[in-house]
Amino acid sequence: MTTVMQLIDFLPLHNIKVKVNAQSKKRALETVSEIAAAYLKNTKLILPILESLLNRERLGSTGIGHGVAIPHCRLEGLETPLIVLLTLEKGIDYHGLDDQPVDIILALLVPVESTDLHLELLAWIAEQFSKVSVLEKIRS
C-alpha cells in the first residue's frame, strides 16, 4: 500500500471470529454484518450492511480463489474503513473464481467517499490473501 498502514489498523480484535458455523454465503454475510454493527455500537446497521454486501455480490462473486472471499461495500456514515475476518468451520459454496469452497472471509467496509482508499485496500488485501503462507497462518 502506498500509505503506511497495516491491516490491523482496520481490524479490531473483536472483529476476528474463528471456526464460525455458517452453512451459506448469506449466513456468513449476516455474521459479518452482525459483527460490524456490534463494533459500531449500532444494531440498526445490521440490515444496511447486509444489503450492501449482498448487492455487491449480485454484481459478481467476491470469492478470489484458494478458499478466500473478500466481500466489500461502502457504508454511509462510516468514518474509517472497517474489516471483519471470519474463518469458517467448514468451507461454503461461494461461487468464487475457482469454484472452491470458501473458508476465509475478510470483509471490508469503507466510507462512501473513500473511493481511492477502498480500491487501494482491496488490491492490497487481494495480493496478501493470494499468498499461500498468509493463508496457512490464518487457517492455523
Side-chain angles (χ1 to χ4, degrees), residues 49-101:
I49 293 169
L50 177 60
E51 287 175 350
S52 293
L53 291 171
L54 290 172
N55 286 339
R56 171 56 190 85
E57 289 299 319
R58 287 184 192 100
L59 298 175
S61 176
T62 57
I64 63 168
H66 308 291
V68 177
I70 308 174
H72 54 279
C73 67
R74 296 184 186 171
L75 188 62
E76 197 72 48
L78 193 62
E79 293 180 19
T80 61
L82 180 63
I83 294 174
V84 174
L85 176 64
L86 306 180
T87 64
L88 304 180
E89 197 172 278
K90 182 180 174 192
I92 58 172
D93 184 7
Y94 208 91
H95 306 290
L97 293 176
D98 61 2
D99 278 328
Q100 295 300 308

Side-chain angles (χ1 to χ4, degrees), residues 3-15:
T3 55
V4 180
M5 62 181 119
Q6 298 179 11
L7 199 57
I8 199 71
D9 293 336
F10 308 110
L11 179 59
L13 194 55
H14 292 93
N15 289 7

